[in-house]
Amino acid sequence: DAGVTQSPTHLIKTRGQQVTLRCSPISGHKSVSWYQQVLGQGPQFIFQYYEKEERGRGNFPDRFSARQFPNYSSELNVNALLLGDSALYLCASSSGQATGNTIYFGEGSWLTVV
Amino acid sequence: QQQVKQSPQSLIVQKGGISIINCAYENTAFDYFPWYQQFPGKGPALLIAIRPDVSEKKEGRFTISFNKSAKQFSLHIMDSQPGDSATYFCAASFKAAGNKLTFGGGTRVLVKP
């Protein structure tokens, strides 16, 4: 079975531009979360979606937005990119939203803002 | 506010030795404590997890020790192998937060042959 898949794997954007990152969860998983991992640090929670509804939001500005589609795939959008948005963006999926459900991460999308 | 503090930032261990990574948390509502292993260029992968109703959990060469009163937990890697060289993250979550994981800062482990 395929794991969590993310696209694109790498991308370079210019300050002020907008970016869309995509994620397909493991088949049957209805919960998708997004994390930002700056080089040398632990992942930071951005959003969680479950059954197409936002169920949690981390301490990120409104420039960050996301949505989940009927097939449970998800997109993360970041507007007005800043240099500090350069990071690895990780998508994670799980079968439910209860604690203890194993959370599986994708390999991430590397975003470089220049 | 960093709610999960992890130490050391890095460690070097000889093959066959024991690697020990420590984490401390602040939020007493946390009720699930997983450890993730991350290789360069890869996403984190769940290694082992524990709930606060047990003091120790062992899976193969990996053991979590949990001290609820001290709000600390640790990962022990026994008989460390070069293939264990990776970055390890402790994390925590609680029921009301659903799947939201709060991660520590990570520990880079290098196992020398």
Side-chain angles (χ1 to χ4, degrees), chain A residues 8 14 28 34 46-47 56 61 67 70 75 78 81 83 87 98 100 103 111-112:
Chain A
T14 304
W34 288 94
I46 309 175
F47 284 110
R67 55 180 174 168
E75 286 183 352
V78 187
L81 286 166
L83 295 179
I103 297 172
L111 171 64
T112 301

Side-chain angles (χ1 to χ4, degrees), chain A residues 5 18 20 22 25 33 40 52-53 62 68 71 90 98:
Chain A
T5 57
Q18 176 264 343
T20 297
R22 297 175 176 83
S33 299
K52 292 156 284 184
E53 291 186 4
D62 291 343
Q68 187 177 33
N71 66 353
L90 294 163

Side-chain angles (χ1 to χ4, degrees), chain A residues 3-93:
Chain A
V4 179
T5 57
Q6 294 185 242
S7 64
T9 55
H10 295 82
L11 69 165
I12 301 174
K13 291 287 188 177
T14 304
R15 278 179 298 175
Q17 285 189 318
Q18 176 264 343
V19 68
T20 297
L21 308 177
R22 297 175 176 83
C23 171
S24 293
I26 293 172
S27 177
H29 283 191
K30 299 180 180 179
S31 175
V32 170
S33 299
W34 288 94
Y35 289 78
Q36 180 196 64
Q37 186 176 20
V38 173
L39 196 62
Q41 297 182 18
Q44 296 291 316
F45 173 79
I46 309 175
F47 284 110
Q48 187 208 357
Y49 279 79
Y50 180 71
E51 289 281 17
K52 292 156 284 184
E53 291 186 4
E54 181 181 311
R55 297 300 181 100
R57 182 184 183 117
N59 187 24
F60 281 82
D62 291 343
R63 299 184 295 107
F64 289 76
S65 63
R67 55 180 174 168
Q68 187 177 33
F69 299 99
N71 66 353
Y72 302 111
S73 67
S74 178
E75 286 183 352
L76 175 70
N77 294 284
V78 187
N79 294 321
L81 286 166
L82 304 174
L83 295 179
D85 294 331
S86 296
L88 176 67
Y89 288 85
L90 294 163
C91 176
S93 80

Side-chain angles (χ1 to χ4, degrees), chain A residues 31 33 35 37 40-45 48 88 90 94 96-103 105-107 110, chain B residues 31-32 36 38 41-46 51 89 93-106:
Chain A
S31 175
S33 299
Y35 289 78
Q37 186 176 20
Q41 297 182 18
Q44 296 291 316
F45 173 79
Q48 187 208 357
L88 176 67
L90 294 163
S94 66
Q97 64 170 73
T99 55
N101 284 323
T102 300
I103 297 172
F105 284 86
E107 297 196 346
W110 283 100
Chain B
D31 62 2
Y32 176 67
Y36 280 83
Q38 186 176 31
K42 301 292 186 179
L46 179 65
R51 292 194 179 274
F89 294 96
S93 68
F94 60 97
K95 187 176 182 179
N99 275 348
K100 173 187 174 182
L101 290 171
T102 300
F103 282 87

